[in-house]
C-alpha cells in the first residue's frame, strides 16, 4: 500500500509540474502574439524587399517597400492591418510620384500626383473612397489641362479644358438631372438583358435641348459611368 501511495504522489507531482509548464508556455505564446515585432523580407540578391511592424499577424505603423535594385518605391501606414494615413510612392529617380491618404483601408483625404520631372500633375480630394470637390490637372509645362468638380465620384457642374498654351479648348456644364435619368434608364435596360454596347444602338436624345458644350460634357460623363460599371461587373 505504501508503494502505491508513493507512486501516486510521484505521478501527481509530475502532472502538476506539466500543467504549470503548459499554462506558463501558453501564456508566453499569447503574449508573443500580442507583441509588436519588426518584420523584414529580402530579395534573393540580399536587398531589402519590405520592412515594417506586425502585431498579431497584422501590419501596424509605417511599412516601406523597395525594388530589387534597392530603390525605394512605396511607404504606407497601417492601423490593425488596414491602410490608415499617408501613402507615398516614388519614381526610380527618387522624386515623388503619388501622395494620398487612407482611412480604414479606403482613400480619404488629399490626393496629389507629380510628373517624373517634379511638376505637379493632378490634385483632388477623396471622401470615403470617392472623388469629391475640385480636381485640377496640369500639363508637364505647368499649364492647367482641366479643372472641375466631383460630387460622390461623378463629375458635376462646369468643367473647363485647356490647351498647352493656356487657352480654353472647351468647356461644358454637366446636367446632373438629365445624367442621372439617363443612367437610371440604362440600368433598367441592363436588368432586362436588352442592352447593347454598339454605338449605333445608343439613344442620345436625352441631351436634346442642351447646348453643344453642355451636351458634350453630359454625354462624356454618361459614357464614362456606364463603361466603369461594365468593367466592374
Amino acid at each position: 500500500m505504501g508503494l502505491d501511495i508513493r507512486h501516486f504522489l510521484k505521478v501527481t507531482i509530475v502532472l502538476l509540474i506539466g500543467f504549470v509548464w503548459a499554462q506558463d508556455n501558453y501564456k508566453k505564446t499569447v503574449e508573443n502574439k500580442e507583441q509588436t515585432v519588426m518584420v523584414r523580407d529580402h530579395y534573393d540578391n540580399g536587398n531589402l524587399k519590405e520592412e515594417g511592424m506586425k502585431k498579431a499577424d497584422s501590419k501596424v505603423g509605417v511599412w516601406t517597400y523597395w525594388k530589387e535594385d534597392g530603390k525605394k518605391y512605396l511607404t504606407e501606414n497601417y492601423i490593425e492591418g488596414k491602410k490608415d494615413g499617408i501613402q507615398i510612392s516614388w519614381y526610380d529617380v527618387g522624386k515623388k510620384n503619388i501622395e494620398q491618404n487612407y482611412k480604414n483601408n479606403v482613400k480619404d483625404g488629399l490626393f496629389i500626383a507629380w510628373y517624373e520631372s517634379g511638376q505637379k500633375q493632378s490634385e483632388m480630394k477623396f471622401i470615403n473612397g470617392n472623388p469629391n470637390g475640385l480636381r485640377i490637372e496640369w500639363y508637364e509645362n505647368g499649364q492647367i489641362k482641366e479643372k472641375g468638380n466631383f460630387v460622390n465620384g461623378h463629375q458635376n457642374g462646369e468643367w473647363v479644358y485647356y490647351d498647352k498654351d493656356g487657352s480654353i479648348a472647351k468647356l461644358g456644364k454637366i446636367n446632373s438631372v438629365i445624367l442621372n435619368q439617363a443612367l437610371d434608364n440604362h440600368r433598367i435596360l441592363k436588368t432586362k438583358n436588352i442592352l447593347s454596347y454598339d454605338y449605333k444602338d445608343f439613344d442620345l436624345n436625352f441631351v436634346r435641348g442642351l447646348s453643344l458644350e453642355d451636351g458634350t460634357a453630359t454625354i462624356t460623363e454618361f459614357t464614362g459611368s456606364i463603361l466603369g460599371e461594365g468593367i466592374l461587373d
Side-chain angles (χ1 to χ4, degrees):
M1 180 67 69
L3 292 176
D4 291 339
I5 293 175
R6 287 197 297 271
H7 179 72
F8 173 78
L9 289 174
K10 288 180 180 179
V11 171
T12 302
I13 291 171
V14 170
L15 290 175
L16 286 174
I17 293 173
F19 175 74
V20 172
W21 179 87
Q23 287 292 94
D24 185 60
N25 190 58
Y26 172 77
K27 183 179 179 181
K28 289 180 178 178
T29 301
V30 172
E31 289 175 348
N32 288 338
K33 286 185 177 180
E34 292 301 318
Q35 288 180 350
T36 301
V37 297
M38 173 63 72
V39 177
R40 294 185 179 90
D41 190 16
H42 296 79
Y43 290 102
D44 291 338
N45 63 8
N47 285 340
L48 197 58
K49 184 177 183 180
E50 61 181 17
E51 178 183 79
M53 305 295 290
K54 274 191 174 184
K55 183 177 182 180
D57 294 328
S58 294
K59 291 182 177 180
V60 293
V62 178
W63 274 72
T64 306
Y65 306 85
W66 292 265
K67 293 184 177 181
E68 194 167 2
D69 60 5
K71 294 176 181 176
K72 182 172 66 174
Y73 72 90
L74 180 68
T75 61
E76 51 192 14
N77 193 72
Y78 285 86
I79 295 179
E80 295 182 351
K82 295 181 179 181
K83 292 180 184 180
D84 203 297
I86 193 168
Q87 181 191 75
I88 304 175
S89 62
W90 284 270
Y91 288 106
D92 285 347
V93 294
K95 294 184 178 180
K96 283 185 181 180
N97 179 8
I98 294 175
E99 182 176 307
Q100 57 188 332
N101 289 271
Y102 281 83
K103 186 176 182 180
N104 199 27
N105 228 31
V106 297
K107 292 180 181 179
D108 194 283
L110 189 62
F111 172 99
I112 305 176
W114 290 268
Y115 290 101
E116 193 169 353
S117 63
Q119 166 63 41
K120 188 181 290 186
Q121 184 176 15
S122 65
E123 181 174 322
M124 64 192 302
K125 186 178 180 181
F126 283 83
I127 298 178
N128 197 28
N130 292 314
N132 274 276
L134 180 65
R135 178 185 186 275
I136 303 178
E137 184 173 346
W138 291 266
Y139 289 104
E140 196 164 3
N141 65 5
Q143 292 285 355
I144 293 178
K145 184 177 182 179
E146 62 182 54
K147 65 179 180 179
N149 282 282
F150 276 93
V151 175
N152 295 326
H154 297 285
Q155 288 179 297
N156 184 69
E158 184 174 87
W159 277 67
V160 185
Y161 303 86
Y162 300 85
D163 289 324
K164 286 185 177 182
D165 61 5
S167 60
I168 294 178
K170 62 178 181 177
L171 56 84
K173 184 176 181 180
I174 297 171
N175 190 307
S176 58
V177 174
I178 292 177
L179 172 64
N180 290 330
Q181 290 175 346
L183 288 172
D184 287 342
N185 291 335
H186 174 82
R187 291 172 186 131
I188 291 172
L189 293 175
K190 188 175 181 179
T191 58
K192 293 181 179 179
N193 294 321
I194 55 175
L195 194 61
S196 169
Y197 284 99
D198 191 315
Y199 75 94
K200 293 179 292 185
D201 295 329
F202 274 93
D203 183 3
L204 301 180
N205 287 324
F206 65 86
V207 294
R208 288 188 183 277
L210 298 180
S211 67
L212 177 61
E213 292 82 3
D214 292 354
T216 301
T218 303
I219 289 174
T220 300
E221 175 62 13
F222 171 77
T223 304
S225 295
I226 63 173
L227 287 177
E229 290 178 3
I231 291 172
L232 290 176
D233 290 342

